[in-house]
Amino acid sequence: MSTQPPSGPPPGPLGAPAAGPPPAPRPRRRGRPVLVGAAVAAAVAAVAVAAVLVLGRDGGAHRPRAGASAQARELADRVALAPGDWGPTFRRADPYESDEVPRSVADEDCALVRKPAAHVLAARQRAVRTADRTAVASSAVVVHDDEGVAAAAVARSRADTRRCATEYDARHRKRWEDVHAVDVPDLEGLDEQTAEQGRMILDANGREADSHYTLITGRKGNVLLQTSVGRSGSQGRNREEALDALALMLSRL
C-alpha cells in the first residue's frame, strides 16, 4: 500500500481541480466530459466531483431556469458543496475551488484528453479533504445552455467507463486501473444517473499509489451534478458518501 495521500478519480466530464502542493489526494470522472462523469494528484489532488448544472427548459417549480450568466453563476455557487456539507472532519483542499471546468474524455487509447468546455453558462467545482488527509472529495456543478449537450456528456462518460478499464493522464504519469461502472440507488428528481469506481496506481510523478475512488454523475434537464470521493487503501464508504453528497446538491436545485 502506498504511503502517498489519496488521489481522486480521473477528471470527469467536468474535469478535476488542479493538483496542489503535497501532500494530498480523479468527475469526474476520468477525463470525462459532461460532468458526468475527477483527478487529484497524490499531492493533495482534489477528487473531481464535477457537478454540472444544466438549467431545465420547462418552467416547473423544481426545475431552475437561468436566462443569464449571472443567474447561472448564482445557481452553481449555491449548489456546489462546502467542507461542512461533507462532515465535521473535512477541510478545504488546496486548491479549493474553480469556476473553470475543462471537459476530459478518453481517446482511442484510453488516455484522458482535455477539451475546451462548450455551451457552458457557469461552473463551480470545490475540493475538500479530511484533516488527516486519508480521504479527498469534490463536487462540481456545470450550467449548460442546452439540455442536449448535458445529455451527450453523460452518454460519453458511460461509454468511456465501459470501454476503458485502464486509463492514464496524457499530460502526466497518472494511471488508473479497474475502472468500471457500479450500481447505486437512483435519486428521485434526476433525469439520469451514472456511477463508476476505480483505483489510481501511479501518481503524477509516476510513483506507486493506492487510491480508490467513486464518481457519481447526475443530470436534471440541462443541469449536471457530479461528486467523487477517494481514499487510500480501500473504497471504505466512498459510494455512500458520494451518493449522499449528490442528493444534497440535488436538493438545492
Side-chain angles (χ1 to χ4, degrees):
M1 175 174 151
S2 169
T3 58
Q4 296 300 317
S7 204
L14 301 186
R26 173 182 180 164
R28 179 227 156 61
R29 170 203 143 41
R30 40 158 7 44
R32 276 163 217 211
V34 184
L35 148 196
V36 163
V40 177
V44 167
V47 177
V49 174
V52 182
L53 259 201
V54 186
L55 306 177
R57 293 178 176 177
D58 57 324
H62 300 293
R63 178 153 295 195
R65 298 179 62 86
S69 294
Q71 291 175 288
R73 286 194 297 271
E74 187 281 328
L75 180 61
D77 287 343
R78 183 180 74 246
V79 175
L81 303 182
D85 295 323
W86 291 94
T89 64
F90 282 87
R91 307 287 185 270
R92 290 188 177 195
D94 184 12
Y96 169 58
E97 67 180 343
S98 173
D99 59 3
E100 295 183 3
V101 184
R103 177 174 181 244
S104 295
V105 299
D107 66 14
E108 62 274 14
D109 297 318
C110 293
L112 301 181
V113 180
R114 294 200 175 199
K115 302 288 186 180
H119 300 283
V120 173
L121 292 174
R124 177 64 63 190
Q125 192 167 198
R126 292 180 181 145
V128 300
R129 61 170 178 79
T130 53
D132 61 5
R133 299 179 184 274
T134 59
V136 293
S138 69
S139 64
V141 177
V142 174
V143 181
H144 286 284
D145 63 6
D146 183 86
E147 182 173 339
V149 173
V154 176
R156 175 60 187 270
S157 178
R158 282 201 189 98
D160 284 351
T161 301
R162 294 194 185 102
R163 183 172 59 87
C164 298
T166 297
E167 297 179 336
Y168 65 94
D169 189 330
R171 302 185 308 153
H172 302 292
R173 301 174 68 182
K174 290 182 284 187
R175 187 180 184 89
W176 295 267
E177 287 190 347
D178 193 26
V179 176
H180 61 282
V182 293
D183 293 327
V184 295
D186 291 332
L187 294 180
E188 184 176 355
L190 289 176
D191 294 327
E192 58 180 326
Q193 184 177 312
T194 185
E196 73 170 60
Q197 290 185 170
R199 172 175 167 253
M200 174 185 272
I201 62 170
L202 293 177
D203 65 17
N205 296 310
R207 297 175 299 190
E208 288 188 8
D210 185 22
S211 180
H212 300 250
Y213 76 88
T214 295
L215 176 69
I216 306 178
T217 299
R219 180 181 69 83
K220 181 171 183 176
N222 53 328
V223 175
L224 287 175
L225 307 174
Q226 190 173 68
T227 59
S228 68
V229 181
R231 274 188 169 78
S232 294
S234 70
Q235 284 286 346
R237 298 190 66 254
N238 286 358
R239 195 179 305 189
E240 294 83 355
E241 291 178 350
L243 187 63
D244 286 348
L246 191 67
L248 178 56
M249 295 175 73
L250 178 60
S251 73
R252 296 176 175 178
L253 290 182

